[in-house]
Amino acid sequence: MKTAIVTDSNSGISQEKANKYGIYVLPMPFYVDDELYFEDRTMSHEEFYIRQQAGSKIYSSQPSPADVTDLWDKVLEEYDEILYIPMSSGLSGSCATAMAMAQDYENRVIVADIGRVSVTQKLAVLEAKKRANAGMTAAEILKELVYAKDECIIFLTVEDLKYLKQGGRISASSAAIGSLLNIKPILTLGGDKVEAVGKVRGDKLARKKIMQCLDETLVNKFHTDNIDDFYLAAAASMSEEDALVWKQQLEEHFSISCSMSPIPLSMGCHLGHGTYGAALIRKMPM
């Protein structure tokens, strides 16, 4: 049985990389000044943040059912079945919508709700592709992904609190005070929700705090001190030069290689330019 792996652009996987990996990526829609765009198709990351910083009204949206099923139908012309790995249902309603639509496909489409987004979603997609290449079915791959769904954690911070305020994550007064005092929140994204785990003043302390949080999570959540059992992955919405500096800082601290991905634009709507973070994802044995 030929099993296709399909995901959405919340994974941070570009259309170019999707072709390289042999997977399919549904571009997520968003609106800029009430005009519809699609990530990596009709607007670049650079233009998105230019428009956002210029004050454009930007908000995320779910893909239309027709866009989802059109992609599935196209893929099923070549494959026997699909394992679809969307953004966590705890962060978007698109997963639940996909699950409802999959019921019309007579088990040829299986939707994996594994509570992941961005780099953690990306690593799950790549693990799924390895298993599909090895001949595993969608149901068999899903079982392994569900077993490992909580074996990851993301910590991040933002440059400007106003986008979190607009999304209702923090109050207007907290955003105003934080911006005035250069307060940077440290957020964690694990499973189905975003939570604040601390706050520091300034960028230097924020980077140090994220690495400290990852160190503590390795021991307290994953109960190990062996970093080699994990992938280290970073994501950022900043210049390539600044992103490279962040990547190098992580590699120096943990003494392992670190991948770097862009922040998906659906998240960028709520986080803004200058966001950066890092994740630990436990490696899945084959």
Side-chain angles (χ1 to χ4, degrees), residues 78-138:
E78 182 179 350
Y79 290 83
D80 298 308
E81 62 173 3
I82 289 171
L83 180 62
Y84 181 53
I85 308 174
M87 179 185 191
S88 167
S89 64
L91 300 172
S92 170
S94 61
C95 182
T97 302
M99 285 183 161
M101 292 188 294
Q103 294 178 14
D104 295 331
Y105 280 79
E106 300 179 344
N107 295 320
R108 295 191 69 195
V109 177
I110 294 179
V111 179
D113 182 13
I114 54 172
R116 293 194 178 192
V117 69
S118 187
V119 291
T120 60
Q121 182 181 349
K122 175 182 178 179
L123 264 296
V125 169
L126 298 182
E127 292 285 2
K129 180 59 178 173
K130 286 195 296 186
R131 285 155 176 76
N133 289 345
M136 293 176 64
T137 66

Side-chain angles (χ1 to χ4, degrees), residues 186-220:
I186 306 301
L187 309 172
T188 183
L189 181 56
D192 293 341
K193 57 186 176 180
V194 180
E195 294 182 301
V197 295
K199 56 186 178 181
V200 295
R201 184 172 295 177
D203 186 66
K204 184 176 180 180
L205 288 179
R207 297 181 183 222
K208 183 178 179 180
K209 181 64 175 178
I210 289 174
M211 290 186 280
Q212 178 187 341
C213 287
L214 291 171
D215 282 330
E216 292 173 353
T217 299
L218 194 65
V219 175
N220 298 330

Side-chain angles (χ1 to χ4, degrees), residues 34-278:
D34 297 322
E35 185 173 348
L36 178 64
Y37 294 91
F38 293 90
E39 180 165 5
D40 202 32
R41 284 269 176 91
T42 57
M43 181 177 284
S44 68
H45 282 237
E46 291 77 13
E47 184 180 357
F48 175 90
Y49 289 113
I50 289 173
R51 297 281 296 273
Q52 188 182 58
Q53 291 176 301
S56 289
K57 177 185 175 184
I58 297 180
Y59 53 96
S60 58
S61 179
Q62 291 188 37
S64 73
D67 287 342
V68 178
T69 55
D70 284 350
L71 176 58
W72 289 355
D73 292 342
K74 175 185 175 182
V75 173
L76 288 172
E77 292 176 2
E78 182 179 350
Y79 290 83
D80 298 308
E81 62 173 3
I82 289 171
L83 180 62
Y84 181 53
I85 308 174
M87 179 185 191
S88 167
S89 64
L91 300 172
S92 170
S94 61
C95 182
T97 302
M99 285 183 161
M101 292 188 294
Q103 294 178 14
D104 295 331
Y105 280 79
E106 300 179 344
N107 295 320
R108 295 191 69 195
V109 177
I110 294 179
V111 179
D113 182 13
I114 54 172
R116 293 194 178 192
V117 69
S118 187
V119 291
T120 60
Q121 182 181 349
K122 175 182 178 179
L123 264 296
V125 169
L126 298 182
E127 292 285 2
K129 180 59 178 173
K130 286 195 296 186
R131 285 155 176 76
N133 289 345
M136 293 176 64
T137 66
E140 290 169 339
I141 299 169
L142 175 61
K143 185 177 180 180
E144 294 199 5
L145 293 181
V146 170
Y147 181 80
K149 65 178 292 188
D150 295 324
E151 296 296 300
C152 61
I153 192 72
I154 297 173
F155 292 98
L156 69 152
T157 190
V158 298
E159 179 68 23
D160 195 325
L161 292 165
K162 71 178 181 180
Y163 303 109
L164 286 172
K165 182 199 73 174
Q166 290 171 1
R169 298 293 182 183
I170 59 173
S171 67
S173 59
S174 294
I177 293 172
S179 298
L180 181 65
L181 299 177
N182 194 23
I183 297 296
K184 297 182 75 68
I186 306 301
L187 309 172
T188 183
L189 181 56
D192 293 341
K193 57 186 176 180
V194 180
E195 294 182 301
V197 295
K199 56 186 178 181
V200 295
R201 184 172 295 177
D203 186 66
K204 184 176 180 180
L205 288 179
R207 297 181 183 222
K208 183 178 179 180
K209 181 64 175 178
I210 289 174
M211 290 186 280
Q212 178 187 341
C213 287
L214 291 171
D215 282 330
E216 292 173 353
T217 299
L218 194 65
V219 175
N220 298 330
K221 175 180 171 68
F222 299 126
H223 307 295
T224 182
D225 58 0
N226 188 3
I227 190 69
D228 293 327
D229 289 340
F230 293 81
Y231 294 110
L232 178 63
S237 58
M238 54 176 59
S239 69
E240 289 187 14
E241 293 80 7
D242 289 341
L244 179 59
V245 169
W246 172 231
K247 176 180 182 293
Q248 291 172 337
Q249 289 174 330
L250 289 165
E251 290 178 334
E252 290 173 3
H253 181 83
F254 290 100
S255 299
I256 61 172
S257 63
C258 177
S259 63
M260 172 58 74
S261 300
I263 299 284
L265 293 185
S266 290
M267 296 177 66
C269 292
H270 307 288
L271 298 174
H273 188 266
T275 298
Y276 59 87

